[in-house]
Amino acid sequence: MHYLLSVVDDTANPGPADEPGAVDRFNDQLKQDGYWVFAGGLQTLDTATVVDARSGDTTVTDGPFAETKEYLAGFWVIEAPDLDVALTLAEGGSRACRRKIEVRPFDGIA
Amino acid sequence: MSGLDEVVARVHRDEWARVVATIARRFGDLDVAEDATAEAFATAVERWRDDGLPPNPGAWLTTTAGRKALDRVRRESRRDEKQRQALMLGDQLSGPPEPTGAVGDERLRLVFTCAHPALAMESRVALTLRMVGGLTVAEIARAFLVQETAMAQRITRAKAKIRAAGIPWRVPEADDLPTRVAGVLAVLYLVFNEGYLATSADADPVRADLTAEAVRLTRLVRELLPDDGEVAGLLALMLLIEARRGARVSPHGELVTLDQQDRGAWDRDLVAEGHALVRERLASGRPPGRYQLLAAINAVHTDARDARDTDWSQVVALYDQLVRLDPSPVVALNRAVAVGELDGPHVALAQVDALAGSLDGYHAFHAARADLLRRLGRSADARAAYDRAIDLAGNSAESAYLRRRRDELGTAEGDA
């Protein structure tokens, strides 16, 4: 199964800077153990732009789509046999990047 | 009830969880497993009436439930993956019944799956009762005083998460076993407590069906993890509390406190079994966990022939250990009550009052305070504390007890 491990940060109470090299080491381990699919860190929240073309007219708005304190700071996509393995990997990811991790299974992956 | 009905009821108790567990693992789906197992039992009632009981009812049920599940998956085989699974499983199911050696392990998988930390605690409790205990949704809803539809939804959501999130059918690795076992034990303790002191005024004050179910499931976990100290501790704790159940509510439906109970009405076999488990844990020489300490405290209480013979210094010493493991205000409250027996109500009241900040909404806090104030002769304060405790207490037997204590205060002092 594929799982999205979302890195959750908080504007009101941001996580501390990563231990230098910790995330790289974690990524290398994921690759070595065959769980790695894809991962990325995201630029800060104020770089977000929302596009809405649902009504026919396109509006472009500065800022993120949800006005919450917690936001997505980055993610891993992994392939793991079950949730227990995904949770164990998330534990390692949380330690490496020193932030909360949300684990969610993919409904489908193209 | 006819002889066959009794046999079916017994087989249902003994085999339900094992059949569900086996089918759930093979088909990877709790809904399929549950429906197929229920169908297999329905078929069993008809067939056994005509043909008599098969030599191995458990194996008969597993095979029948497996076929029912296969039929259902084939009927729904619009989806390719399920079709492939069904074809693959067909071969396994036509073979001889599984050896009984795998039995315990299958049930343990089910216990651990239902009590997975990724599920909300209330869902874990409901799912464990449904899938492992075989209780109906209506029974579980009644036990926890929620609407049947709400309980059905909770169970459905939990099953859906197990399926969609890929919660595995396995007993956790040795490394994470302690944390997972802790979750399983917490679920079983919650079930037991709900049965022992129902939290609602509308329910029976004591739900023997729930306490019995919790004891039965804990015995199951103990059978499967015989070396785990906390499993033994929780079983001992439940047995020593369960032993006193019959003496705990008066014929008038009023709570009878430990010091007032007829000790001759305690179940001696359960007391002996509980004590043996506590001794076994002491002999292991390993440091006790929370349940083992609670069991040891209950062993001291059940050891005394008379409430006056209770070794309170031992009780306080055990609470001292417990406070180090679990520094929660509730533990501190219970410790203070024991201190009251050892060092008098003055010392205890100071300790209880210090907990007011965190326990003001907890009926047992006000009940303990009321008792200490009564012993110190502060009737007006005691009355106010009883009133608070009565307002907060949900259990009908407990409210009745508290009201009588308060009213006795009134007649004695005449200051109502």
Side-chain angles (χ1 to χ4, degrees):
Chain A
M1 291 181 72
H2 286 88
Y3 292 90
L4 176 68
L5 310 188
S6 305
V7 177
V8 181
D9 209 343
D10 188 332
T11 43
N13 184 23
D18 307 347
E19 206 84 54
V23 173
D24 290 338
R25 280 196 299 278
F26 176 70
N27 288 344
D28 288 345
Q29 193 65 48
L30 281 183
K31 288 173 190 164
Q32 205 182 308
D33 296 341
Y35 297 119
W36 175 272
V37 178
F38 181 69
L42 296 171
Q43 289 282 0
T44 52
L45 209 53
D46 51 23
T47 62
T49 311
V50 173
V51 178
D52 185 355
R54 290 175 301 178
S55 63
D57 297 331
T58 303
T59 59
V60 176
T61 334
D62 172 44
F65 79 95
E67 298 290 339
T68 58
K69 276 185 247 157
E70 293 191 319
Y71 69 100
L72 182 68
F75 62 87
W76 285 275
V77 179
I78 58 155
E79 193 172 2
D82 58 49
L83 183 69
D84 282 356
V85 175
L87 294 178
T88 308
L89 296 173
E91 200 181 326
S94 171
R95 279 212 191 92
C97 72
R98 302 165 83 175
R99 277 161 184 82
K100 284 198 283 194
I101 306 287
E102 179 191 278
V103 180
R104 268 175 78 184
F106 275 87
D107 189 21
I109 193 159
Chain B
M1 209 194 282
S2 77
L4 182 70
D5 288 345
E6 273 172 44
V7 170
V8 171
R10 183 174 50 77
V11 172
H12 189 274
R13 284 255 116 179
D14 296 347
E15 302 289 347
W16 169 271
R18 188 175 69 82
V19 179
V20 169
T22 307
I23 305 302
R25 185 178 55 81
R26 282 190 189 161
F27 289 81
D29 192 306
L30 277 179
D31 277 324
V32 169
E34 198 186 342
D35 289 350
T37 306
E39 280 182 52
F41 272 98
T43 309
V45 174
E46 288 172 28
R47 290 284 288 280
W48 296 355
R49 185 164 287 135
D50 298 336
D51 303 349
L53 201 67
N56 186 343
W60 190 98
L61 285 163
T62 307
T63 307
T64 307
R67 292 209 185 100
K68 303 272 184 199
L70 198 55
D71 285 347
R72 176 171 156 171
V73 172
R74 279 190 176 131
R75 276 200 306 276
E76 294 174 352
S77 62
R78 289 181 295 274
R79 276 178 273 176
D80 290 348
E81 198 191 344
K82 280 206 168 173
Q83 174 74 9
R84 267 201 308 279
Q85 275 175 2
L87 291 172
M88 210 171 66
L89 288 158
D91 298 337
Q92 295 177 22
L93 287 168
S94 51
E98 291 215 331
T100 41
V103 168
D105 198 32
E106 282 300 307
R107 286 187 294 187
L108 190 59
R109 276 182 229 266
L110 188 61
V111 169
F112 277 97
T113 305
C114 291
H116 196 278
L119 300 173
M121 196 48 143
E122 53 182 23
S123 302
R124 290 188 225 171
V125 175
L127 205 58
T128 303
L129 286 173
R130 176 75 202 108
M131 307 312 295
V132 186
L135 268 64
T136 64
V137 173
E139 283 171 327
I140 301 166
R142 229 180 4 254
F144 291 94
L145 297 145
V146 298
Q147 294 289 321
E148 197 175 326
T149 46
M151 184 53 78
Q153 252 171 24
R154 192 183 289 175
I155 292 174
T156 304
R157 259 203 310 272
K159 283 180 187 166
K161 180 161 184 184
I162 289 175
R163 193 168 42 231
I167 291 178
W169 299 101
R170 63 176 180 81
V171 178
E173 307 289 332
D175 285 356
D176 44 30
L177 204 55
T179 50
R180 293 291 166 89
V181 172
V184 169
L185 297 183
V187 165
L188 296 177
Y189 193 35
L190 258 180
V191 172
F192 184 87
N193 279 333
E194 184 56 31
Y196 198 65
L197 194 67
T199 42
S200 159
D202 303 326
D204 286 340
V206 178
R207 299 268 331 235
D209 51 344
L210 282 185
T211 59
E213 190 57 26
V215 170
R216 196 177 71 86
L217 294 175
T218 308
R219 281 190 195 282
L220 191 64
V221 177
R222 158 116 178 121
E223 212 176 279
L224 301 159
L225 294 170
D227 299 326
D228 188 293
E230 281 294 85
V231 174
L234 180 60
L235 180 58
L237 173 62
M238 285 183 184
L239 294 174
L240 291 172
I241 298 176
E242 180 76 353
R244 311 199 297 261
R245 184 162 53 78
R248 193 156 167 281
V249 176
S250 78
H252 316 293
E254 187 181 296
L255 183 84
V256 184
T257 51
L258 188 55
D259 57 315
Q260 299 293 323
Q261 284 174 17
D262 170 12
R263 297 189 172 218
W266 289 353
D267 184 321
R268 280 173 192 212
D269 291 341
L270 292 183
V271 170
E273 195 187 347
H275 282 188
L277 281 167
V278 170
R279 278 196 301 274
E280 180 194 309
R281 291 313 309 159
L282 278 174
S284 79
R286 270 172 283 175
R290 178 165 171 261
Y291 297 120
Q292 292 167 74
L293 288 170
L294 286 168
I297 290 165
N298 277 276
V300 175
H301 285 305
T302 43
D303 229 5
R305 281 168 172 232
D306 188 284
R308 279 166 302 188
D309 301 334
T310 305
D311 184 348
W312 287 106
S313 62
Q314 177 110 35
V315 172
V316 172
L318 287 165
Y319 271 119
D320 286 341
Q321 283 193 64
L322 190 57
V323 167
R324 280 197 290 275
L325 283 182
D326 176 6
S328 71
V330 173
V331 171
L333 175 69
N334 291 328
R335 183 186 172 279
V337 170
V339 166
E341 299 296 329
L342 193 65
D343 299 330
H346 255 300
V347 184
L349 185 62
Q351 293 183 7
V352 169
D353 280 341
L355 301 166
S358 40
L359 293 182
D360 189 52
Y362 182 46
H363 75 276
F365 165 77
H366 296 285
R369 247 189 115 241
D371 185 58
L372 294 168
L373 289 164
R374 178 187 57 76
R375 284 164 61 191
L376 290 167
R378 290 168 56 183
S379 301
D381 293 339
R383 182 195 315 283
Y386 277 122
D387 283 338
R388 278 287 282 151
I390 291 162
D391 279 348
L392 292 166
N395 186 275
S396 58
E398 204 166 15
S399 313
Y401 163 77
L402 292 167
R403 272 196 301 273
R404 182 172 61 76
R405 295 309 299 246
R406 180 195 59 190
D407 296 347
E408 280 171 5
L409 209 57
T411 33
E413 303 299 318
D415 60 358

